């Protein structure tokens, strides 16, 4: 019989995170796929530690999430982060469907947006900062390739601060899917959906909110009414690090063609495309990726503080 509540015996919450939650301090969840699959070593480890420092500098406690030897972890040590970074793509990429198998086998895995949300919710963490959410892939009409991140946003009560959806995706169909499942897309100080490396796109957000306090009030109202699911908080990459849309679009088109020619699809497609775009842009996209995650961490910490003041 399926339990109505999760069995928390599989979960380890670090003492720092546990103490913060017990005392009502803001906690920001951080994913680990960006460490093992999103960037090369050693930039991945350096960025992960820098993001944790940024969260702390803005008054919140970071909780980097992963699976370590079969244990769900909310809050990693520096050594565990380095293990994920050195392992790179040899570390299993874990989404919702993979969780029971990685736990049962006692394996180590890096969590996607979807599985990070699940573990964060188990630990009682409501705010999560990442780079960009997954979504509906281009040509999904034929492949049916849709990220599990979107369905998780529809059912798990965690708000995701991101630089929009990854620009390798079909943004129009991603927004349509989120709308169908009742997931609001909020633009932070913007009316347009950010497209990861670029500050905007041709698509509008559902609501524009201009302060962390406004976003926290909307989250508080949503969850107080027992409405399921999370919220996408789309935070544009800082202007100084944004890339020209023409340059990034050209690199994405070439990477997509190469992925198709090589038969790359499923959960391998996003790491391949991001790595290839990085190569085609001479590393500019990697620098942009690091900066947008730091920017999202800052906003997530501010929202967490405001949400805590409302009693969550």
């Amino acid at each position: 019989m399926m339990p109505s509540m999760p069995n928390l015996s599989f979960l380890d919450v670090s003492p720092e995170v546990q103490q913060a939650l017990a005392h009502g301090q803001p906690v920001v969840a951080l994913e680990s796929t960006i460490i093992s699959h999103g960037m090369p070593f050693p930039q991945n480890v350096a960025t992960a530690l820098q993001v944790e420092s940024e969260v702390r500098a803005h008054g919140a406690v970071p909780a980097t999430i992963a699976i370590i030897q079969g244990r769900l972890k909310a809050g990693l040590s520096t050594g565990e982060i380095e293990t994920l970074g050195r392992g790179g793509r040899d570390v299993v990429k874990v989404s919702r469907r993979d969780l029971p198998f990685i736990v049962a086998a006692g394996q180590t895995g890096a969590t996607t947006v979807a599985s990070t949300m699940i573990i964060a919710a188990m630990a009682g963490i409501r705010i999560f900062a990442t780079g960009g959410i997954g979504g509906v892939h281009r040509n999904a009409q034929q492949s049916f390739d849709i990220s599990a991140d979107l369905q998780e946003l529809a059912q798990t009560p965690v708000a995701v601060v991101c630089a929009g959806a990854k620009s390798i995706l079909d943004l129009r169909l991603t927004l349509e899917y989120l709308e169908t499942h009742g997931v609001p897309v909020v633009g932070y100080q913007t009316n347009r959906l950010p497209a990861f490396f670029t500050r905007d796109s041709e698509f509008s957000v559902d609501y524009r909110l201009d302060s962390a306090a406004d976003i926290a009030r909307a989250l508080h109202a949503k969850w107080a009414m027992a409405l399921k699911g999370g919220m996408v908080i789309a935070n544009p990459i800082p202007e100084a690090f944004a890339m020209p849309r023409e340059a990034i679009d050209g690199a994405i088109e070439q990477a997509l063609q190469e992925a198709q020619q090589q038969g790359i699809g499923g959960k391998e497609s996003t790491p391949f495309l991001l790595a290839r775009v990085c190569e085609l842009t001479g590393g500019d996209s990697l620098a942009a990726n690091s900066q947008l995650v730091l920017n999202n961490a800052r906003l997530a910490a501010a929202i967490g503080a405001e949400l805590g003041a409302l009693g969550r």
Side-chain angles (χ1 to χ4, degrees):
M1 185 175 73
M2 188 175 74
S4 57
M5 294 292 288
N7 184 339
L8 300 183
S9 65
F10 295 105
L11 176 68
D12 295 333
V13 180
S14 76
E16 181 190 22
V17 172
Q18 212 164 36
Q19 186 174 16
L21 291 169
H23 291 86
Q25 290 178 268
V27 178
V28 174
L30 303 166
E31 62 154 298
S32 48
T33 291
I34 197 171
I35 302 171
S36 61
H37 291 251
M39 297 178 185
F41 181 82
Q43 292 99 318
N44 51 9
V45 173
T47 298
L49 296 176
Q50 192 178 1
V51 172
E52 286 202 341
S53 295
E54 197 72 12
V55 170
R56 287 193 178 94
H58 287 80
V61 171
T64 301
I65 286 175
I67 303 167
I68 305 294
Q69 296 180 344
R71 301 294 300 173
L72 308 178
K73 295 274 190 174
L76 300 185
S77 68
T78 300
E80 288 167 337
I81 288 173
E82 188 160 326
T83 296
L84 293 170
R86 286 185 181 276
R89 293 192 192 179
D90 290 335
V91 177
V92 181
K93 183 179 177 182
V94 180
S95 190
R96 170 179 274 270
R97 70 172 181 186
D98 310 298
L99 278 168
F101 302 97
I102 303 306
V103 168
Q107 290 183 299
T108 291
T111 52
T112 63
V113 168
S115 52
T116 300
M117 289 178 70
I118 292 167
I119 297 169
M122 282 184 186
I125 302 166
R126 290 296 184 97
I127 304 293
F128 166 26
T130 186
I133 59 168
V136 180
H137 282 257
R138 301 189 192 195
N139 302 314
Q141 297 90 331
Q142 285 76 46
S143 68
F144 282 81
D145 192 348
I146 301 171
S147 171
D149 296 354
L150 302 187
Q151 193 59 43
E152 209 59 53
L153 279 158
Q155 62 184 327
T156 300
V158 173
V160 181
V161 181
C162 59
K166 297 182 177 78
S167 45
I168 56 176
L169 302 169
D170 187 316
L171 299 184
R172 183 181 67 81
L173 292 183
T174 297
L175 288 170
E176 288 287 353
Y177 191 101
L178 289 169
E179 189 274 334
T180 297
H181 290 277
V183 179
V185 178
V186 172
Y188 176 63
Q189 300 181 352
T190 181
N191 296 308
R192 314 298 292 178
L193 178 71
F196 202 61
F197 298 120
T198 59
R199 286 180 58 80
D200 63 9
S201 67
E202 60 188 297
F203 304 103
S204 299
V205 295
D206 298 321
Y207 294 93
R208 171 179 176 153
L209 296 176
D210 289 342
S211 72
D214 288 342
I215 295 169
R217 279 192 289 271
L219 287 169
H220 180 73
K222 176 183 173 74
W223 293 327
M225 291 186 286
L227 295 175
K228 281 202 319 178
M231 187 179 293
V232 175
I233 300 159
N235 183 29
I237 183 173
E239 198 155 357
F241 302 101
M243 298 184 66
R245 194 186 295 182
E246 300 75 21
I248 201 70
D249 285 350
I252 289 169
E253 287 300 329
Q254 183 174 335
L256 285 165
Q257 288 176 16
E258 292 176 10
Q260 189 172 20
Q261 289 163 2
Q262 296 176 39
I264 295 169
K267 67 181 186 180
E268 298 305 318
S269 61
T270 297
F272 170 84
L273 292 170
L274 289 176
R276 190 68 185 110
V277 167
C278 179
E279 292 169 5
L280 292 169
T281 59
D284 288 349
S285 67
L286 180 60
N289 198 348
S290 298
Q291 291 299 325
L292 63 83
V293 177
L294 289 168
N295 192 44
N296 295 337
R298 288 189 285 270
L299 178 57
I303 295 168
E306 294 288 351
L307 193 59
L310 295 169
R312 305 175 71 198

